[in-house]
Amino acid sequence: EAQLVESGGGLVQPGGSLTLSCTASGFSFGTTAMTWGRQAPGTEEIEWVAYIYSDSRFVDYANNVKGRFTTSRDNAKNMLYLQLNDLRPEDTGRYYCIRGLNVLGTRGQGTQVTVSS
């Protein structure tokens, strides 16, 4: 059974940084594209943030995070990362790592990121 566990969230001031991690197990992580999504407070929708192909050769970001967020992966460790820089209040939400390229795929419990002064 696929399992994903996110960590690294927290409270940060605007302009600050965080690094989110996702530990994957129960599936062939090294051959699976992965996606980051987020859910804003009070909403049901999971917004696409970024994706990365299995070999890291192709990566893409939502326009509203491009240039500020960076995703990477370590297939040897079954780990996915999201570096969040220059955080803004509108980045507040619960962040999920998701198996595959669809935000509706298998995801973990998420990690909360709150950007506030």
Side-chain angles (χ1 to χ4, degrees):
E1 179 184 355
Q3 287 194 323
L4 297 162
V5 180
E6 301 92 339
S7 61
L11 173 63
V12 63
Q13 292 187 342
S17 297
L18 284 173
T19 301
L20 307 185
S21 299
C22 172
T23 302
S25 62
F27 66 101
S28 181
F29 178 79
T31 61
T32 303
M34 296 293 294
T35 296
W36 286 99
R38 68 186 180 190
Q39 188 174 33
T43 68
E44 297 276 342
E45 179 184 357
I46 295 182
E47 174 193 9
W48 170 66
V49 173
Y51 64 73
I52 182 168
Y53 276 29
S54 59
D55 58 5
S56 302
R57 289 176 63 185
F58 193 73
V59 180
D60 201 11
Y61 301 92
N63 286 336
N64 56 359
V65 307
K66 197 169 290 186
R68 300 187 297 120
F69 292 7
T70 303
T71 187
S72 61
R73 62 193 296 162
D74 185 337
N75 288 344
K77 297 181 179 179
N78 280 13
M79 294 291 296
L80 181 71
Y81 305 99
L82 185 67
Q83 176 68 38
L84 293 72
N85 295 329
D86 189 23
L87 282 160
R88 304 168 181 172
E90 55 264 38
D91 294 319
T92 293
R94 194 157 193 87
Y95 284 69
Y96 298 92
C97 68
I98 303 166
R99 179 184 179 185
L101 295 174
N102 190 322
V103 294
L104 300 180
T106 300
R107 64 180 186 263
Q109 83 289 347
T111 187
Q112 179 68 32
V113 172
T114 302
V115 185
S116 174
S117 55

